[in-house]
Amino acid sequence: MKSFTYERPSSPAEAAAAVARTPEAKFIAGGTNLLDLMKLQIETPRHLVDVNGLGLDTVEPTDEGGLRIGALVRNTDLAAHPRVRTDYGVLARALLAGASGQLRNKATTAGNLLQRTRCPYFYDTAQACNKRQPGSGCSALDGVSRQLAVIGGSEACIATHPGDMAVAMRVLDATVETIDAAGAARKIPIAEFHRLPGDEPSRDTNLEPGELITAVTLPKPVVGTHIYRKVRDRASYAYALVSVAAILGKDGSGHVAFGGVAHKPWRVEAAEADLPKGAKAVTSRVFADAKPTHENAYKLTLAERTLSAALNQARA
Amino acid sequence: MKFDTQAGPNPIDRLKVVGHATDRIDGKYKTTGTAPYAYERHDVAPDAAYGYVLGSSIAKGRVRSIDTASARQAPGVIAIVTTLDTPRVERGVMNVAYLFGGDVIQHYHQAVAVVVAETFEQARAASFLVTVDYAPEAGVFDLAAAAKDAEPVPADSGEGSGGNGEERVGDFEAAFAQAPVTLDASYKTADESHAMMEPHATVAAWDGEKVTLWTSNQMIGWGHGSLAKMLNLPKDKVRLDAPYVGGGFGGKLFVRADAVLAALAAKAAGRPVKVALTRPLIANNTTHRPATIQRVRIGATQDGTITAIAHESTSGNLPDGDPETAVNQTKFLYAGKNRLTAMKLARLDLPEGNAMRAPGEAPGLAVLEVAMDEMAEKLGLDPVEFRIRNDTQVVPTKPDLRFSQRDLVGCLKLGVERFGWAKRNPKPGQVRDGQWLVGLGMAAAFRDNMVMKSGARVRLDAGGTVTVETDMTDIGTGSYTIIAQTAAEMMGVPLNRVVVRLGDSDFPVSSGSGGQFGANSSTAGVYAACVKLRESIAQKLGFNATDAVFEDGEVRAGNRAIPLAQAAAEGELVAEDTIEFGDFSKTQQVSTFGAHFVEVAVDVYTAEVRVRRMLAVCAAGRILNPKSARSQVIGGMVMGTGAALMEELAVDTKRGFFANHDLAGYEVPVHADIPHQEVIFLDETDPMSSPMKAKGVGELGISGIAAAVANAIYNATGIRVRDYPITLDKLIDRMPDAA
Amino acid sequence: MVGATATAAATRTDEPVLATVTFTVNGQRRELELDTRTSLLDAAREHLHLTGSKKGCDHGQCGACTMIVDGRRINACLTLAIMHQGAEITTIEGLGQPDHLHPMQAAFVKHDGYQCGYCTPGQICSGVAVLEEIKAGIPSHVTADLEATPQVTEAEIRERMSGNICRCGAYSNIVEAMTEVAGARA
């Protein structure tokens, strides 16, 4: 970990300005991913702007009947929030399926969106990784890839977004609110927030340098059974191999997004009309362009069967 | 004391303290965080600087040069020792790879430098400024590919239960060819990591030419001799101290890089240095349980009598490394006139393979006991019944050698009753509970009972306190408590009058902790020392030692009763002895036995496996402390469940390393993976084992459990996976249609 | 309020940046001047010599470092000490001492909820906090009905404790210890 200076600004605008004006600066909130990466010098900020004192930690109803979630609301608090439990069960379930109790107590809404991949080559600084060190190559392509992306990848990167929360937010059509150093606010639909790796895998999201997430808003609740089905190698405290975030009616109609399969939460809205026909009809369209490695083709079967489980649960 | 005849009646048999479920005497320290582990010795080395280890970024090759210039300029840096600065450090006991190997890189993350700084943060940051120029060489990293060129293992090689590389009885091939029912199946087990919770850590401090290492090591005697050799010092110039060890499982049997580098760094820095291996370094820098490819062939008559059995295993290792002796239990477990066991060893350039909890038996039984399940099904026999039919009271490869005790059948029958085995549907894939397919599985457990020479010193002071000193370690095994129980029983005092001091190389050399020999051997050593102390107490008090009874804090004979403490009124009495096991111990086969029963549920959609119930029935001689012994068994069951379901060091066969080298990537069971566990110990004493009449249980629990889980998965799903771990991707394509 | 702000001129060098932080640890006010890089875990272990909190992985993957900070359990390895200005911190040493065990510590001894002892302080801190979390109505992954109040069940304990790895495999005993403490308190 390189040495860094540290400050605690008193407003979001000041925070954004601080990061914008200081070379190699980063925001820190929960710190559970950033510090992990800093210890390995995968992230090397020289200035940390601690945003924990900015407020941004409340969940408020919106005029449209939705919710506005402050960027610093902790995962534990968001999952335990009465409105989230009642109206956005898929989000509560996704949060509770993630990490551990200790980590959820620190991890924030904004930070969770910004989690970086768990690809083993990203984490090993002795190995080539285009995401960590642009141009160095991708070791995962012919390496250990059982956990990695089956769709949306590129010749430069097959990393996955490791989170759960964002997958639920994707199916909920959430919007990410930000401000930049000039104090200008911007709203980014969750679908456009995370990027595919393409030839620039070092960029996980479409945030601009210094742009600070202030909130995530959810539209008014969608009626249906809210399901977050996370499949992993052990029963808890593990990243998803595949996850399904779904809001489904008894006839199977509804919405679905997949986690653990791509560089971003993966959703193909056009395929959702086929949900009443069953899982295969949907996944064959959602994963039509899949390019699995020899180690992770199982994810395609697993995604179909996990969706099938969700559909069955909705019908019950 | 030589153990050269079957143990007769002795004071331990009174069982006033021994044999009772006893809270650990170190429990109040461990639960309050006041038990000091190696890295935490502010008390003995308050000015220790921080060492940070840099590992090789190539798997094989040479170090051309190391540039430390900018690291040396970094703030707080006191010293840097690189692998090019010193002659190659010699290997210690059982080391295969060199820990600080000069310019030769034998495996990924081999230590190449240690950076010492005033603070941990400074040492860590400076380590990233060290640049190493490597000349990489091609290596062999894929066991499956290398297996074709694997060499037969020569006689009398390897870990685990020992024995020959290839062993034959009768004519296996002919008998197998003639057998009316046969099985011929191949299996794989994965590379596994010990993943003990406390990283390998050492504080080293020099006092002139003498070095003391507060370290985390299972075998102080081995470590002491090893470090003397590695540091070119006489043994009396090296001291090791390990009062608490945060888990080892075989990964701390030997000196590792933390100890060597702490000592070298402390010398270079001119002050104490502490070094802990970082978690991401451990999987590749240290040792692991090697993967195996195994083949089992069983031939039987229609009634289920085994007539031919063969078990072959191939594993890989670095040059000079041993095989994983996965075939050994097959020489002992089941009858059968015609037998073959054989091992091959492939040369690999992966990190060093070495002992991990129940080396040999853990992966060996994981396979043999699945094969037995498969064979029972072919025969149309209940798998328990098939095992009972092939029980033996003599070692099948040496019919003149009897087991001292062997109640495998008793374990199986009691398990059948207690687990409700009768409810098992022998036809797989039939039992459904909502979204879950439910199945039951079982396996036999076997682990050889090794014994090791073990010494102890016992003191009696004027206050009546008995103090035991031995370099034995407590790695979670409960040594503190069973040693205290032993001394209390022998000296006739309550447990709270006994003080136990462990892990210091200034104390008598013990068995150490490994191979499930520690509990029996080390308490037998304490027994021997107590016998001597009793003699000197009796003499002091004017008793005939053979008549004297030590009880209730008194020494009694005839009408006389004198408080024990009085013997030390004029000065402390000290006695020291060592229990030694000679050829007598080999006149019978002393082994431990058990039976595992498991219920699993498999999600019909996703093939996720959840273990619902677990029972182990164990026959392992006298159980010294049923509370900690039970914990040893359930702990083994947890680790074996990990091996069955999730644990695998993922080999990058191109780059030559274990890619998932942290605790997020290498998954071990968490709370949610493990149900309530039951353990039953048969009431046994084994006078062939030692004066304690006890045997080991620390590795019996892991032996066989993986197969019981695998067999339960088969019973639940009808899918036989012969490739551990049984992760859902190996099941998903064959799962029944769920929708 | 910004007592932990560090604005040293050392931005572009490798010199450590020092900052002062004041917090309460086990009821005692402590002021430390620290390298900004110091984790809360290392502040406790290396600066305050409170070595009960363990460093099993230093990356939030094992739970051995669990402390209770402002009423919530966290991984002390994944947070900076200077981010805890004014915080109330409880470590294992603050729960009880060898001659005055906290009920959870005593239950761990009674049920043998540990072996090597290295994960134990984290398990116990987590265990104490988990019972509070259930009492506070915070749901978990295994809570069947998100709108109902969670209960102290073995399944709830197992799920909530899953961020504390015990390689010795004392899980079954830990659940028994926690169940006993929960029952005694109820």
Side-chain angles (χ1 to χ4, degrees):
Chain A
M1 190 183 295
K2 292 187 177 174
S3 65
F4 55 83
T5 48
Y6 172 83
E7 72 175 300
R8 302 175 76 179
S10 54
S11 73
E14 200 183 304
V19 167
R21 81 170 160 258
T22 319
E24 300 177 80
K26 271 200 170 288
F27 302 112
I28 185 166
T32 52
N33 191 208
L34 181 60
L35 290 168
D36 171 33
L37 296 170
M38 284 168 65
K39 289 177 185 196
L40 300 167
Q41 292 203 177
I42 295 165
E43 297 276 7
T44 54
R46 305 308 302 266
H47 184 69
L48 284 184
V49 176
D50 182 347
V51 296
N52 284 292
L54 301 184
L56 306 179
D57 57 355
T58 58
V59 180
E60 310 283 352
T62 65
D63 295 343
E64 292 77 35
L67 280 187
R68 186 168 186 279
I69 302 159
L72 294 169
V73 174
R74 308 288 152 172
N75 287 178
T76 298
D77 295 317
L78 185 56
H81 192 276
R83 275 287 311 275
V84 176
R85 285 156 83 167
T86 308
D87 294 338
Y88 302 95
V90 63
L91 178 58
R93 289 285 179 205
L95 287 160
L96 295 171
S100 67
Q102 291 95 314
L103 291 164
R104 292 193 297 271
N105 281 339
K106 285 302 283 182
T108 63
T109 307
N112 197 311
L113 288 173
L114 299 175
Q115 278 184 90
R116 307 211 67 192
T117 186
R118 292 298 313 189
C119 174
Y121 300 97
F122 177 69
Y123 262 82
D124 189 331
T125 49
Q127 300 300 323
C129 169
N130 289 319
K131 182 181 281 297
R132 176 168 35 74
Q133 196 179 353
S136 62
C138 174
S139 306
L141 288 171
D142 63 355
V144 171
S145 61
R146 182 173 172 271
Q147 299 266 354
L148 301 178
V150 292
I151 194 162
S154 69
E155 285 304 302
C157 181
I158 54 168
T160 50
H161 171 76
D164 297 295
M165 185 193 79
V167 186
M169 287 181 169
R170 180 71 179 87
V171 84
L172 288 166
D173 289 317
T175 302
V176 182
E177 297 185 3
T178 68
I179 63 165
D180 66 14
R186 167 159 97 117
K187 291 185 179 181
I188 311 170
I190 188 77
E192 294 161 28
F193 182 80
H194 293 103
R195 294 164 43 89
L196 289 180
D199 55 8
E200 206 183 351
S202 61
R203 288 188 65 196
D204 295 345
T205 72
N206 285 313
L207 287 179
E208 298 299 328
E211 193 172 5
L212 175 70
I213 299 173
T214 52
V216 174
T217 54
L218 305 179
K220 68 177 196 237
V222 178
V223 177
T225 303
H226 282 229
I227 294 165
Y228 189 77
R229 186 75 170 82
K230 179 177 182 177
V231 184
R232 42 192 161 176
D233 281 324
R234 64 184 176 193
S236 188
Y237 198 22
Y239 295 92
L241 300 171
V242 162
S243 70
V244 165
I247 303 172
L248 300 169
K250 280 213 181 283
D251 62 350
S253 66
H255 310 283
V256 63
F258 295 85
V261 295
H263 199 260
K264 59 191 286 188
W266 196 255
R267 181 176 176 192
V268 177
E269 280 90 339
E272 290 173 359
D274 286 340
L275 275 165
K277 294 186 204 161
K280 195 175 188 67
V282 177
T283 54
S284 61
R285 289 182 67 183
V286 168
F287 293 101
D289 297 327
K291 287 196 186 76
T293 69
H294 67 291
E295 286 190 3
N296 67 17
Y298 74 93
K299 287 193 177 193
L300 300 175
T301 315
L302 184 59
E304 180 199 324
R305 294 185 72 105
T306 308
L307 176 58
S308 185
L311 286 164
N312 187 58
Q313 187 184 334
R315 273 185 227 109
Chain B
M1 180 184 285
K2 283 203 163 35
F3 185 68
D4 51 11
T5 180
Q6 197 159 305
N10 68 42
I12 298 294
D13 296 329
R14 296 180 295 182
L15 299 183
K16 292 195 165 191
V17 190
V18 169
H20 294 262
T22 304
D23 291 349
R24 291 176 199 243
I25 62 171
D26 47 334
K28 60 183 175 180
Y29 307 114
K30 285 178 174 173
T31 56
T32 54
T34 51
Y37 295 80
Y39 199 79
E40 301 165 356
R41 300 307 298 269
H42 297 291
D43 57 333
V44 294
D47 60 338
Y50 293 79
Y52 196 93
V53 178
L54 190 65
S56 166
S57 60
I58 64 164
K60 185 172 162 62
R62 293 196 171 259
V63 181
R64 282 201 200 96
S65 63
I66 301 180
D67 181 355
T68 60
S70 35
R72 284 181 199 279
Q73 296 301 312
V77 170
I78 299 164
I80 298 173
V81 182
T82 79
T83 190
L84 301 181
D85 295 342
T86 64
R88 183 175 74 180
V89 175
E90 285 306 309
R91 293 177 294 187
V93 175
M94 303 286 279
N95 288 146
V96 174
Y98 288 84
L99 301 180
F100 210 42
D103 68 342
V104 179
I105 298 297
Q106 292 180 285
H107 63 90
Y108 198 71
H109 278 175
Q110 176 182 317
V112 294
V114 58
V115 177
V116 183
E118 294 288 343
T119 71
F120 173 69
E121 292 76 22
Q122 290 169 334
R124 180 177 58 194
S127 77
F128 284 89
L129 300 173
V130 175
T131 52
V132 184
D133 182 24
Y134 295 100
E137 292 166 18
V140 180
F141 308 117
D142 184 354
L143 176 62
K148 292 189 286 289
D149 305 320
E151 299 282 341
V153 172
D156 202 22
S157 169
E159 236 293 331
S161 304
N164 299 330
E166 177 174 314
E167 206 164 310
R168 287 179 173 274
V169 175
D171 184 345
F172 166 77
E173 282 80 2
F176 185 72
Q178 287 162 15
V181 184
T182 59
L183 171 83
D184 181 351
S186 293
Y187 306 81
K188 287 197 267 185
T189 66
D191 293 293
E192 295 169 17
S193 188
H194 307 83
M196 72 297 283
M197 297 312 298
E198 182 203 18
H200 303 72
T202 301
V203 185
W206 291 84
D207 178 8
E209 288 306 301
K210 183 176 177 182
V211 66
T212 301
L213 296 101
W214 293 272
T215 190
S216 187
N217 190 292
Q218 300 172 223
M219 303 289 289
I220 298 303
W222 289 1
H224 188 210
S226 295
L227 277 159
K229 177 183 165 199
M230 297 165 114
L231 300 172
N232 285 315
L233 293 171
K235 276 177 80 170
D236 63 358
K237 297 292 183 198
V238 178
R239 180 177 161 236
L240 269 65
D241 191 18
Y244 290 95
V245 178
F249 314 111
K252 294 175 182 167
L253 282 169
F254 330 118
V255 168
R256 300 300 316 169
D258 57 300
V260 174
L261 296 189
L264 296 177
K267 183 133 220 176
R271 63 189 260 199
V273 169
K274 56 182 180 179
V275 172
L277 298 185
T278 59
R279 184 57 68 176
L281 208 57
I282 290 176
N284 288 284
N285 177 272
T286 71
T287 63
H288 66 281
R289 187 201 300 285
T292 66
I293 300 168
Q294 300 181 46
R295 181 186 185 194
V296 176
R297 284 171 288 172
I298 304 173
T301 58
Q302 292 289 359
D303 70 350
T305 303
I306 295 174
T307 54
I309 184 165
H311 191 165
E312 296 158 273
S313 174
T314 301
S315 58
N317 215 333
L318 288 165
D320 303 338
D322 287 331
E324 179 71 24
T325 56
V327 306
N328 275 337
Q329 73 287 320
T330 307
K331 300 169 187 172
F332 300 94
L333 198 47
Y334 299 114
K337 284 203 163 55
N338 302 284
R339 320 178 65 91
L340 163 65
T341 49
M343 291 184 286
K344 287 185 176 177
L345 181 60
R347 156 80 194 271
L348 289 180
D349 297 300
L350 288 170
E352 169 178 339
N354 217 317
M356 178 169 152
R357 202 173 198 175
E361 276 95 338
L365 282 164
V367 165
L368 176 66
E369 287 298 284
V370 169
M372 287 294 287
D373 199 67
E374 297 196 50
M375 190 66 185
E377 187 180 38
K378 287 191 172 214
L379 289 159
L381 276 178
D382 182 276
V384 175
E385 177 57 26
F386 179 45
R387 286 166 173 87
I388 290 173
R389 282 190 197 180
N390 290 287
D391 187 44
T392 172
Q393 292 297 315
V394 298
V395 176
T397 51
K398 297 172 187 159
D400 297 337
L401 187 61
R402 291 194 62 79
F403 288 101
S404 61
Q405 303 216 332
R406 173 173 166 130
D407 199 4
L408 174 61
V409 171
C411 293
L412 291 165
K413 286 184 169 169
L414 188 59
V416 162
E417 179 195 320
R418 294 291 181 86
F419 198 70
W421 182 251
K423 280 182 289 194
R424 171 179 177 268
N425 186 333
K427 195 175 172 204
Q430 302 302 305
V431 181
R432 184 88 182 247
D433 173 14
Q435 81 199 55
W436 300 100
L437 296 166
V438 180
L440 305 189
M442 58 76 56
F446 170 90
R447 174 67 173 146
D448 202 21
N449 186 70
M450 292 185 277
V451 283
M452 298 272 275
K453 180 178 165 181
S454 194
R457 185 158 57 220
V458 192
R459 303 171 183 276
L460 174 69
D461 71 16
T465 295
V466 176
T467 300
V468 185
E469 296 171 342
T470 162
D471 84 356
M472 180 60 187
T473 49
D474 189 328
I475 62 172
T477 39
S479 310
Y480 275 107
T481 310
I482 55 173
I483 284 171
Q485 288 173 281
T486 302
E489 194 79 75
M490 289 299 290
M491 304 314 299
V493 298
L495 199 62
N496 63 13
R497 304 301 306 191
V498 180
V499 172
V500 180
R501 300 172 66 200
L502 299 182
D504 189 331
S505 62
D506 286 349
F507 297 156
V509 176
S510 73
S511 63
S513 301
Q516 83 169 10
F517 50 67
N520 179 45
S521 303
S522 71
T523 54
V526 174
Y527 170 94
C530 286
V531 167
K532 270 203 173 169
L533 183 63
R534 286 163 60 113
E535 284 165 5
S536 62
I537 290 169
Q539 192 182 20
K540 192 93 188 169
L541 298 177
F543 288 105
N544 181 335
T546 48
D547 302 338
V549 174
F550 289 68
E551 211 162 60
D552 304 328
E554 293 182 336
V555 190
R556 298 175 196 144
N559 302 326
R560 287 177 67 211
I562 301 177
L564 182 72
Q566 201 170 307
E570 294 160 20
E572 188 184 54
L573 295 182
V574 185
E576 182 175 331
D577 201 4
T578 297
I579 189 90
E580 292 179 71
F581 301 91
D583 290 342
F584 168 72
S585 295
K586 299 183 182 115
T587 57
Q588 294 187 22
Q589 179 67 32
V590 185
S591 301
T592 63
F593 300 89
H596 287 291
F597 293 83
V598 169
E599 177 179 323
V600 303
V602 183
D603 189 294
V604 70
Y605 292 97
T606 61
E608 294 160 286
V609 178
R610 298 286 179 265
V611 179
R612 289 185 165 187
R613 291 196 295 141
M614 306 182 96
L615 166 70
V617 185
C618 302
R622 171 175 284 153
I623 301 302
L624 303 173
N625 180 359
K627 183 172 279 193
S628 55
R630 178 180 171 280
S631 293
Q632 281 285 289
V633 174
I634 67 170
M637 292 157 75
V638 171
M639 195 176 278
T641 300
L645 296 179
M646 64 191 79
E647 290 187 36
E648 177 173 25
L649 286 165
V651 182
D652 182 323
T653 54
K654 185 175 176 194
R655 296 163 189 85
F657 72 110
F658 301 129
N660 53 342
H661 51 68
D662 61 22
L663 289 175
Y666 184 82
E667 292 183 15
V668 302
V670 296
H671 273 273
D673 291 299
I674 302 300
H676 177 71
Q677 294 170 300
E678 293 282 352
V679 179
I680 301 169
F681 293 110
L682 299 189
D683 189 10
E684 281 192 347
T685 50
D686 192 336
M688 284 300 292
S689 73
S690 82
M692 301 304 292
K693 305 171 188 171
K695 292 188 275 196
V697 294
E699 299 184 334
L700 185 60
I702 195 175
S703 301
I705 184 65
V709 173
N711 293 338
I713 292 170
Y714 175 74
N715 184 243
T717 62
I719 303 168
R720 186 67 78 178
V721 176
R722 299 186 183 90
D723 179 9
Y724 289 102
I726 307 175
T727 44
L728 59 88
D729 48 310
K730 296 171 187 170
L731 294 163
I732 193 83
D733 286 333
R734 290 185 275 165
M735 289 294 284
D737 191 11
Chain C
M1 185 56 211
V2 287
T5 297
T7 48
T11 320
R12 303 303 308 155
T13 79
D14 292 326
E15 285 299 325
V17 180
L18 298 178
T20 303
V21 63
T22 307
F23 40 46
T24 303
V25 182
N26 301 329
Q28 267 189 294
R29 191 183 137 91
R30 307 299 294 254
E31 183 175 306
L32 292 171
E33 188 179 43
L34 296 172
D35 187 322
T36 52
R37 292 171 291 189
T38 311
S39 69
L40 180 59
L41 178 63
D42 284 330
R45 283 170 62 84
E46 306 303 333
H47 296 266
L48 299 174
H49 294 188
L50 291 171
T51 54
S53 308
K54 302 306 182 195
K55 190 188 275 192
C57 72
D58 214 18
H59 288 276
Q61 301 163 356
C62 79
C65 64
T66 302
M67 295 181 187
I68 302 171
V69 177
D70 294 330
R72 292 256 173 115
R73 58 180 171 140
I74 64 169
N75 294 128
C77 74
L78 283 190
T79 193
L80 297 170
I82 54 166
M83 293 170 74
H84 293 279
Q85 176 66 28
E88 295 274 347
I89 297 162
T90 303
T91 69
I92 188 70
E93 292 93 343
L95 288 179
Q97 285 293 312
D99 48 353
H100 299 286
L101 295 183
H102 182 281
M104 190 65 80
Q105 292 168 325
F108 268 61
V109 174
K110 178 181 166 188
H111 292 277
D112 216 38
Y114 59 92
Q115 291 207 62
C116 80
Y118 201 77
C119 75
T120 311
Q123 300 277 355
I124 290 173
C125 285
S126 209
V128 168
V130 158
L131 296 185
E132 292 300 319
E133 285 166 17
I134 296 174
K135 201 166 139 193
I138 293 169
S140 87
H141 175 63
V142 299
T143 308
D145 180 357
L146 280 179
E147 295 178 55
T149 306
Q151 305 297 310
V152 182
T153 63
E154 291 191 356
E156 286 281 3
I157 290 173
R158 289 195 180 102
E159 162 58 25
R160 289 167 193 265
M161 290 297 290
S162 285
N164 290 86
I165 291 173
C166 171
R167 187 58 162 162
C168 296
Y171 297 134
S172 187
N173 294 349
I174 292 170
V175 172
E176 285 176 21
M178 286 181 64
T179 302
E180 179 175 293
V181 174
R185 210 191 49 182

